[in-house]
Amino acid sequence: MSDEGTAMLDAQIDWEAIRRAKNFFAKGPAGESLHQLGRRVAGGRLMTIERVGDQHWGALTGILLMDDALIRILVRETDPTSYRTRCILHEFGHVLCGHKRCTALTAVPSPADDGSLLDVLRGNAADKSARAYLCTRPTHEIVGERTAEEIARLGEAHLLKPQFNLDERSWAVA
Amino acid sequence: MTILQQLALVLLTASFLLRLRLLGQPASAWRIAFSPPAIYPWLACGVGALAILTQGVVWPQQQLDGLLGSSNVLKLVQDMLTVLAFTLCAWTALSVDENRMTRKSTVSQLIQLVLMEIALVVSFALTTDRGPTDYLFVEHQQGRPAVWLFGSIYLLEMIYVTFLMLRGIRGRRATPYRWYRIGGYAVITACTLELFDLSTSHFAPIAGLRGIGRALFDPVFYPGVVAIVATIVSFTVAPWLRERSVRRHLEDVSATIERHDLIAPAPCDRAVERLADAVTIVRNAHVQDPIKLSASELDDLNRAEAFLQLKFGYALDQDHERITRINPGQAR
């Protein structure tokens, strides 16, 4: 990508939101798990993270449905665990940014079988107070998506600790 | 001296000297490395190596005991060093979980150590006319109450401290602890057998059993020591090996990124963050804007993802469940 192209993309990130997210992660306990982080992100609301089957996902990577009491994050069931985690962190990014705009529900494909992604969305579409994001990866240039992805990268760095970090730090002699 | 004693000495000395690699690092690194609790395992290695040296592994015991008056004072030094080395291991184990080693318990542990060492010195002082240097001084003179007392106090202290070591890692799951537990139980078994042998021989000799505890002590005790030291070595080298694997996976995935002209991962402080980013970039391109990955490229990607998951495990707590509920304020 050209330097000009990179500069243009850099301008399309909410750096203030990134700074707040960095502080947010820094306040977490040492060795914080994804589950514990989710509870902090939810800020008093119930959060569910649901693995939904493969049908109709297409290029989507995650979906966030949010109201004042509940945050629902949907990810594709068949994605590898580490990729699914990144998708979840991306949705956490949207929650932390407080994004309110409802996007692309009209772009949802036609209904499908029970338990599928679309049934879940149908169940929520009737609730106009729900804010929904259909999230794709940041090859396009929407500020919210790029910001959420940068927050996901920071979240991943925060979580990426060796599994037995405490033990290694205690026992290692060099 | 047995090959196990020599192996234990080599491992302990190497582990102790490894910390010298900090030379050339900032003073802050030294401050951390030589403050509690980081200093405990390092000191345990150094003290343990000294204790084995008193066994005559490098210099004959006669020579070493000669420096102390040739009246088996070396045996006292050996026992005090061994108790200290194991106690330092116990403190390390207790320090892994910060909740177990509070300031109050640190003072309590220090008092226990001082009392144990005083008990050894006092009981040894009661053993007069010990005779010339003898590797099996306690066993050969166990008929004397003072010698029996000295020997028994040492073995009881070793059993106690080793129990502390095992209790300190209660509930911890890292694989190297498997050897640590085996080593701990071996030490306890060896000391218990020796104590039984010492006591029965002193009070009520049992024909046919005399000397069995002594005969079994070295073959059981020293493998236990080697297993415990192997745990320390394992935790020491694990980060190096893991970092090498991170860089190897990063090379493989970065090659895929280059071949398909994708955006390079952002600069990161740690190689593992760069790897996680690289994996996401390739997986995104595979999902969103389908690039055709060759079988080996897909294999590299899958292996990198599996490695991240195994070594850095940051999935949801109930990742196998279809729906994970995160309740507000849930105690975990």
Side-chain angles (χ1 to χ4, degrees), chain B residues 152-172:
Chain B
S152 300
I153 286 175
Y154 166 67
L155 291 167
L156 284 169
E157 288 180 0
M158 284 299 297
I159 292 168
Y160 169 67
V161 169
T162 312
F163 262 122
L164 278 185
M165 278 175 55
L166 292 170
R167 198 181 75 180
I169 61 153
R170 200 174 56 222
R172 305 213 67 86

Side-chain angles (χ1 to χ4, degrees), chain A residues 15-67:
Chain A
W15 291 109
E16 179 55 29
I18 302 289
R19 189 192 60 78
R20 283 198 308 269
K22 273 186 190 167
N23 289 339
F24 178 84
F25 291 132
K27 283 183 191 155
E32 186 173 39
S33 68
L34 180 58
H35 199 110
Q36 291 166 324
L37 179 61
R39 190 159 66 248
R40 283 204 299 133
V41 167
R45 288 172 284 187
L46 171 66
M47 176 186 282
T48 61
I49 299 175
E50 301 167 51
R51 291 160 56 179
V52 183
D54 239 354
Q55 278 185 304
H56 306 292
W57 274 95
L60 296 178
T61 56
I63 296 176
L64 171 69
L65 302 165
M66 194 157 56
D67 61 30

Side-chain angles (χ1 to χ4, degrees), chain B residues 18-75:
Chain B
L18 264 176
R19 190 155 282 200
L20 293 181
R21 69 187 277 275
L22 288 174
L23 286 170
Q25 292 203 10
S28 54
W30 280 85
R31 261 197 305 277
I32 294 171
F34 292 100
S35 302
I39 200 174
Y40 297 152
W42 179 71
L43 279 179
C45 290
V47 171
L50 281 176
I52 294 185
L53 277 174
T54 62
Q55 299 275 351
V57 180
V58 176
W59 297 284
Q61 275 198 317
Q62 279 76 8
Q63 272 186 24
L64 293 174
D65 198 37
L67 299 172
L68 301 169
S70 294
S71 61
N72 293 296
V73 174
L74 188 68
K75 177 64 177 160

Side-chain angles (χ1 to χ4, degrees), chain B residues 89-296:
Chain B
C89 277
W91 290 358
T92 306
L94 290 166
S95 301
V96 175
D97 183 344
E98 287 159 358
N99 290 331
R100 288 189 188 150
M101 193 75 170
T102 59
R103 183 184 290 272
K104 190 174 160 191
S105 60
T106 304
V107 170
S108 157
Q109 292 293 334
L110 192 56
I111 291 172
Q112 283 183 41
L113 171 66
V114 168
L115 288 176
M116 285 194 291
E117 301 289 33
I118 289 174
L120 284 174
V121 170
V122 168
S123 59
F124 185 79
L126 295 173
T127 63
T128 54
D129 298 324
R130 289 183 293 273
T133 303
D134 179 3
Y135 179 70
L136 297 175
F137 144 71
V138 170
E139 290 75 11
H140 291 157
Q141 299 191 36
Q142 63 195 0
R144 299 171 57 197
V147 174
W148 167 82
L149 181 66
F150 168 67
S152 300
I153 286 175
Y154 166 67
L155 291 167
L156 284 169
E157 288 180 0
M158 284 299 297
I159 292 168
Y160 169 67
V161 169
T162 312
F163 262 122
L164 278 185
M165 278 175 55
L166 292 170
R167 198 181 75 180
I169 61 153
R170 200 174 56 222
R172 305 213 67 86
R173 296 180 294 117
T175 306
Y177 286 129
R178 178 176 53 196
W179 300 110
Y180 181 95
R181 287 186 177 98
I182 289 171
Y185 289 126
V187 166
I188 289 174
T189 303
C191 292
T192 305
L193 287 174
E194 171 95 4
L195 181 63
F196 175 79
D197 191 10
L198 204 63
S199 300
T200 53
S201 298
H202 181 77
F203 291 105
I206 302 170
L209 285 185
R210 188 179 174 126
I212 283 186
R214 170 84 295 261
L216 288 175
F217 185 82
D218 281 359
V220 178
F221 182 84
Y222 285 102
V225 170
V226 169
I228 292 166
V229 179
T231 303
I232 296 174
V233 171
S234 183
F235 279 124
T236 301
V237 302
W240 296 349
L241 295 174
R242 190 172 50 241
E243 186 67 11
R244 277 181 50 182
S245 295
V246 165
R247 292 189 187 277
R248 200 175 58 242
H249 285 294
L250 183 56
E251 267 180 40
D252 293 341
V253 178
S254 295
T256 302
I257 287 174
E258 267 189 51
R259 275 195 292 272
H260 292 275
D261 200 28
L262 303 174
I263 298 175
C268 304
D269 290 338
R270 295 184 295 155
V272 67
E273 290 173 33
R274 204 169 157 83
L275 173 62
D277 222 17
V279 157
T280 300
I281 286 165
V282 176
R283 186 59 77 179
N284 280 341
H286 187 54
V287 167
Q288 300 250 320
D289 190 18
I291 56 169
K292 189 151 173 56
L293 293 177
S294 67
S296 71

Side-chain angles (χ1 to χ4, degrees), chain A residues 1 9 33-36 38-39 42-53 58-61 76-77 79-86 88-89 92 115 135-140 149-150 153 156-174, chain B residues 15 18-19 21 41-42 45 89 92-93 95-96 169 172-175 177 180 232 235-236 238-240 242 263 266-268 270 272-273 276-277 279-280 283-284 287-288 305 308-330 332:
Chain A
M1 179 178 290
L9 282 180
S33 68
L34 180 58
H35 199 110
Q36 291 166 324
R39 190 159 66 248
R45 288 172 284 187
L46 171 66
M47 176 186 282
T48 61
I49 299 175
E50 301 167 51
R51 291 160 56 179
V52 183
L60 296 178
T61 56
R76 180 156 51 187
E77 192 168 33
D79 279 337
T81 306
S82 60
Y83 189 67
R84 221 170 32 240
T85 301
R86 184 69 170 250
I88 293 167
L89 289 168
F92 283 5
C135 292
T136 57
R137 287 283 176 233
T139 50
H140 59 82
E149 184 62 11
E150 181 63 19
R153 208 176 60 76
E156 197 168 51
H158 171 68
L159 293 176
L160 272 174
K161 304 273 185 317
Q163 266 210 317
F164 302 112
N165 195 36
L166 278 180
D167 305 273
E168 287 174 10
R169 275 172 33 196
S170 294
W171 288 101
V173 290
Chain B
S15 300
L18 264 176
R19 190 155 282 200
R21 69 187 277 275
W42 179 71
C45 290
C89 277
T92 306
S95 301
V96 175
I169 61 153
R172 305 213 67 86
R173 296 180 294 117
T175 306
Y177 286 129
Y180 181 95
I232 296 174
F235 279 124
T236 301
W240 296 349
R242 190 172 50 241
I263 298 175
C268 304
R270 295 184 295 155
V272 67
E273 290 173 33
D277 222 17
V279 157
T280 300
R283 186 59 77 179
N284 280 341
V287 167
Q288 300 250 320
E305 283 171 335
L308 282 172
Q309 188 46 43
L310 178 68
K311 294 296 181 184
F312 294 88
Y314 53 108
L316 287 169
D317 294 353
Q318 292 95 27
D319 189 57
H320 55 281
E321 302 282 346
R322 199 182 72 74
I323 299 178
T324 299
R325 296 171 65 86
I326 300 176
N327 293 316
Q330 182 179 21
R332 295 203 62 84

